[in-house]
Amino acid sequence: PTVAPSAAAKPAHETVPPPAALAKAEGAVKTVASRDAIPLTGPRVDGKAGDLMIDNGTAVVVVTQEGRIADFGLRDGRDELSWLNPTLSVGLTALDAPVLKLAAEGEKALRLERAVAGKPLVLVSFLWLEGATLRVETVARSTGEDPALAVTLGERLSWGNVPTWMDGHGYV
């Protein structure tokens, strides 16, 4: 007897659905043509040609091809964000997570997919604007059979020349 070939399973990162809150996304995803095309001011505007930008008329966010949120601010205002990077850690060690894919999710949001070096995981982040608010939602999805992999999900950031304060911890 013959057996019909089964459809290949999708990679884990492709099975992560967008969050329901993405329905509130505003603006349009654009490819940055040049640094001058980013409607932000100041020395921290780091976006470059080929990066992706969401502009909703109120705020602007730019994500580099390397997966780093490099610019964010009110449209035509100063960019004081140095960078924000969704990441995960095992213990206190941040894991390397090279970009698999950065693309528009619909017309108003971005989807950033990363492989996690040395671990059976993928990291999928969705970014969108609601008014002047940047929303970032990140999911870690296992690509292996071990259900007990323990990691910490979060963001690493650098915001201008102001120290970052974490309640209960102090400056970080």
Side-chain angles (χ1 to χ4, degrees), residues 20-111:
L22 201 64
K24 297 179 182 178
E26 302 169 352
V29 174
K30 304 171 184 174
T31 301
V32 174
S34 71
R35 184 182 186 275
D36 294 336
I38 300 169
L40 294 170
T41 63
R44 288 192 174 88
V45 178
D46 295 317
K48 57 191 176 306
D51 292 341
L52 295 182
M53 172 174 66
I54 305 172
D55 182 353
N56 70 357
T58 301
V60 175
V61 62
V62 176
V63 180
T64 67
Q65 291 297 315
E66 296 80 24
R68 193 170 263 199
I69 301 166
D71 302 310
F72 172 65
L74 295 176
R75 192 174 210 290
D76 299 321
R78 282 184 65 88
D79 171 24
E80 293 296 344
L81 176 71
S82 293
W83 52 266
L84 185 143
N85 198 20
T87 190
L88 49 81
S89 302
V90 172
L92 296 175
T93 304
L95 299 174
D96 186 29
V99 173
L100 291 171
K101 178 181 172 184
L102 172 63
E105 178 73 23
E107 298 175 358
K108 300 177 181 181
L110 294 173
R111 179 184 185 113

Side-chain angles (χ1 to χ4, degrees), residues 70-160:
D71 302 310
F72 172 65
L74 295 176
R75 192 174 210 290
D76 299 321
R78 282 184 65 88
D79 171 24
E80 293 296 344
L81 176 71
S82 293
W83 52 266
L84 185 143
N85 198 20
T87 190
L88 49 81
S89 302
V90 172
L92 296 175
T93 304
L95 299 174
D96 186 29
V99 173
L100 291 171
K101 178 181 172 184
L102 172 63
E105 178 73 23
E107 298 175 358
K108 300 177 181 181
L110 294 173
R111 179 184 185 113
L112 173 61
E113 301 173 354
R114 298 171 179 269
V116 179
K119 299 290 179 193
L121 289 169
V122 290
L123 195 63
V124 181
S125 300
F126 297 90
L127 299 94
W128 69 96
L129 294 170
E130 290 178 31
T133 303
L134 170 62
R135 302 284 184 190
V136 180
E137 188 164 323
T138 302
V139 175
R141 171 76 48 104
S142 174
T143 59
E145 301 297 320
D146 183 5
L149 184 62
V151 296
T152 302
L153 186 61
E155 290 85 25
R156 293 175 31 194
L157 65 109
S158 176
W159 192 276

